């Protein structure tokens, strides 16, 4: 029988997913980076010069496998800025 997974049973990551509901100016200028407790920084959104929409990032989901194998415990940081 399969054992129920608990947070204490999970030691390392596979994927980090972020659900976004951001209102901002020009969407293509929004930059998102996630930093792990060990200091690894992975960009989720970079500058997109052709994305002139002003609709924001409402209902967007972004993800990365760039933290594969990193420990999950500690402080994770989502950095949001404009280009």
């Amino acid at each position: 029988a399969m054992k129920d997974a608990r947070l204490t049973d999970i030691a390392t990551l596979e994927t980090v997913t972020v659900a976004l509901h951001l209102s901002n100016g020009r969407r293509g200028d929004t930059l998102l980076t996630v930093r792990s407790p060990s200091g690894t920084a992975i960009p989720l959104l970079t500058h997109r010069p052709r994305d002139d929409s002003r609709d924001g990032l409402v209902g967007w989901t972004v993800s990365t496998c760039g933290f594969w194998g990193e420990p999950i415990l500690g402080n994770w940081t989502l950095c949001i800025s404009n280009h």
Side-chain angles (χ1 to χ4, degrees):
M2 188 174 200
K3 181 178 156 187
D4 288 337
R6 295 179 312 230
L7 183 58
T8 56
D9 293 333
I10 302 169
T12 60
L13 279 178
E14 181 176 317
T15 304
V16 169
T17 302
V18 178
L20 300 168
H21 289 277
L22 298 174
S23 297
N24 57 325
R26 191 178 165 281
R27 184 172 61 199
D29 290 339
T30 303
L31 311 174
L32 297 175
T33 302
V34 175
R35 186 175 310 278
S36 72
S38 64
T40 303
I42 303 287
L44 297 178
L45 286 178
T46 58
H47 181 236
R48 295 165 317 284
R50 294 187 183 109
D51 187 352
D52 291 324
S53 174
R54 299 212 175 262
D55 292 339
L57 298 161
V58 177
W60 280 44
T61 302
V62 291
S63 62
T64 180
C65 293
F67 297 106
W68 188 285
E70 289 209 29
I72 63 167
L73 297 178
N75 292 320
W76 289 80
T77 305
L78 177 62
C79 303
I80 304 170
S81 61
N82 282 313
H83 178 75

